[in-house]
């Protein structure tokens, strides 16, 4: 009996001292609204991690996107998050106007992904055809302090306007904005997202729309991280011509609290699972390994650096 008890105790002690790699890790993927691009890509990433990283449980959390995601990472309430480049810079700088009360010093970059296109879409009956036509009209600028809302401020300022020039400002996520437009309660929406965002596809198939141009000279006034870009013809129903606009790069970001090994695996699996991400959303087709390690306003995580060195992107 004594030998049996001793054996059981020894086995329990051995189990308790097993390497921490055997313990289950948790990855919370911070995304955005369910009708945007971050969410379906986040669901795909969560599945990839759950299937391919041993002893890992994943969760995908719908959020108000960039700003909230970065704050949650700093608080240790997420392991990987989507964010716009301008929001990431504002978080690193501690830009209070952008919604950051202090510098978020725990942020570390996994890599650059796809560009967000500024997509300003109006109902045809609103009479809005140019940026100047937004004066006195109703516009949804995105959820308060979201990356989209910060983009809205920047675009309007470069066009010589502010929220005061608008007839009404709605602070709504993508799907809710479209619902108001369908009900003739809103003239236009500004949505910062990958091309082919579900909410705008839905709107364009249900009523005539106008995709409003953001001229290159307006984009140049803002400067980096904004760049001139084009929404190709037929991205949305009824949009039969290319439309000039602005774009800003998105990033996947983690925290310094995440181990180097886990960050390495998270980075590797994103850039070696690009077909799966392209299947999850068209924006996934624009994610390129070649540009993943460049341009971030926040330092790369050491685990990500290890992967990029393996691939010859960093010496």
């Amino acid at each position: 009996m004594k030998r049996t008890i001793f054996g059981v105790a020894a086995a329990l002690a051995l189990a308790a001292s097993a390497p921490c790699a055997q313990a289950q890790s948790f990855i919370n993927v911070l995304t955005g609204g369910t009708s945007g691009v971050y969410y379906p890509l986040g669901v795909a990433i969560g599945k990839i991690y759950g299937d391919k990283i041993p002893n890992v449980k994943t969760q995908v959390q719908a959020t108000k996107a960039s700003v909230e995601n970065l704050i949650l990472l700093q608080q240790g309430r997420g392991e990987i998050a989507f964010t716009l480049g301008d929001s990431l810079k504002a978080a690193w700088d501690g830009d209070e106007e952008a919604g950051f009360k202090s510098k978020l010093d725990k942020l570390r970059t996994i890599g650059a992904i796809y560009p967000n296109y500024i997509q300003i879409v109006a109902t045809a009956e609103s009479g809005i055809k140019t940026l100047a036509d937004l004066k006195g009209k109703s516009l949804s600028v995105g959820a308060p302090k979201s990356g989209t809302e910060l983009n809205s401020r920047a675009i309007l300022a470069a066009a010589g306007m502010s929220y005061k020039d608008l007839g009404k400002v709605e602070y709504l996520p993508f799907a809710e904005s479209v619902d108001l437009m369908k009900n003739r309660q809103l003239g236009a929406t500004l949505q910062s997202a990958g091309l082919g965002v579900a909410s705008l596809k839905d709107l364009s198939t249900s009523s005539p729309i106008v995709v409003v141009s953001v001229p290159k000279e307006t984009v140049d006034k803002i400067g980096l991280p904004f760049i001139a870009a084009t929404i190709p013809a037929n991205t949305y129903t009824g949009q039969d011509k290319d439309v000039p606009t602005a774009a800003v790069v998105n990033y996947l970001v983690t925290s310094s609290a995440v181990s180097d090994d886990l960050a390495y695996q998270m980075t590797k699996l994103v850039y070696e699972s690009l077909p799966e991400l392209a299947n999850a959303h068209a924006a996934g087709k624009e994610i390129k390994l070649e540009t993943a390690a460049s341009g971030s306003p926040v330092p790369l995580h050491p685990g990500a650096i290890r992967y990029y060195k393996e691939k010859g992107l960093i010496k």
Side-chain angles (χ1 to χ4, degrees):
M1 179 67 75
K2 286 182 179 179
R3 285 180 181 177
T4 302
I5 292 171
F6 178 78
V8 170
L12 290 172
L14 184 62
S17 63
C20 60
Q22 298 300 316
Q24 188 173 73
S25 298
F26 186 75
I27 298 176
N28 188 23
V29 184
L30 303 168
T31 60
T34 54
S35 60
V37 179
Y38 287 174
Y39 188 79
L41 287 179
V43 169
I45 288 172
K47 185 176 188 310
I48 290 163
Y49 289 170
D51 289 346
K52 297 185 178 180
I53 303 178
N55 304 306
V56 156
K57 182 180 180 183
T58 61
Q59 171 183 299
V60 178
Q61 182 176 342
T63 67
K64 293 177 182 176
S66 298
V67 176
E68 181 181 11
N69 288 351
L70 296 171
I71 291 170
L72 289 172
L73 276 182
Q74 179 76 13
Q75 294 172 344
R77 295 166 64 189
E79 283 65 45
I80 189 167
F82 291 78
T83 183
L84 277 162
D86 58 332
S87 298
L88 185 57
K89 183 179 187 305
W92 190 248
D93 293 344
D95 184 341
E96 195 162 349
E97 269 193 33
F100 304 104
K101 294 179 181 178
S102 60
K103 175 184 172 74
L104 303 191
D105 58 354
K106 294 180 182 177
L107 301 179
R108 298 293 183 271
T109 298
I110 289 291
I113 43 174
Y114 65 92
N116 254 30
Y117 292 77
I118 306 302
Q119 300 169 77
I120 304 173
V121 176
T123 59
E125 67 178 22
S126 70
I128 299 168
K129 295 180 179 178
T130 68
L131 284 175
D133 292 338
L134 289 170
K135 289 183 178 179
K137 301 292 177 64
S138 56
L139 174 70
S140 178
V141 296
K145 301 289 187 182
S146 65
T148 290
E149 202 248 316
L150 298 183
N151 288 175
S152 296
R153 294 187 194 197
I155 294 294
L156 289 173
M161 290 185 281
S162 71
Y163 291 168
K164 292 179 181 178
D165 295 302
L166 303 174
K168 186 178 182 182
V169 180
E170 295 282 3
Y171 297 88
L172 294 171
F174 296 173
E176 286 88 335
S177 301
V178 165
D179 286 343
L180 285 186
M181 293 174 77
K182 287 180 179 178
N183 293 327
R184 299 181 174 179
Q185 296 174 290
L186 181 68
T189 177
L190 186 152
Q191 303 197 0
S192 179
L195 293 175
V197 63
S199 54
L200 296 179
K201 280 195 165 186
D202 174 36
L203 177 64
S204 71
T205 56
S206 63
S207 58
I209 63 163
V210 174
V211 182
V212 179
S213 169
V214 180
K216 183 178 184 300
E217 53 267 29
T218 301
V219 182
D220 290 345
K221 285 180 184 176
I222 309 173
L224 292 172
F226 289 84
I227 56 172
T230 300
I231 302 172
N234 302 312
T235 298
Y236 300 106
T237 303
Q239 179 218 337
D240 56 5
K241 295 180 182 177
D242 290 352
V243 178
T245 193
V248 59
V249 174
N250 285 285
Y251 291 87
L252 284 172
V253 186
T254 187
S255 158
S256 58
V258 170
S259 72
D260 291 1
D261 283 345
L262 184 56
Y264 168 81
Q265 291 182 81
M266 291 196 302
T267 308
K268 178 183 173 75
L269 284 171
V270 165
Y271 295 99
E272 296 186 1
S273 305
L274 296 183
E276 289 95 318
L277 299 185
N279 286 335
H281 194 281
K285 296 174 184 175
E286 299 187 62
I287 304 174
K288 311 290 182 188
L289 174 61
E290 299 79 46
T291 55
S294 60
S296 175
V298 168
L300 290 165
H301 194 288
I305 291 173
R306 176 183 152 198
Y307 175 69
Y308 295 134
K309 283 183 174 179
E310 285 182 2
K311 304 305 288 187
L313 296 176
I314 295 177
K315 292 183 180 180

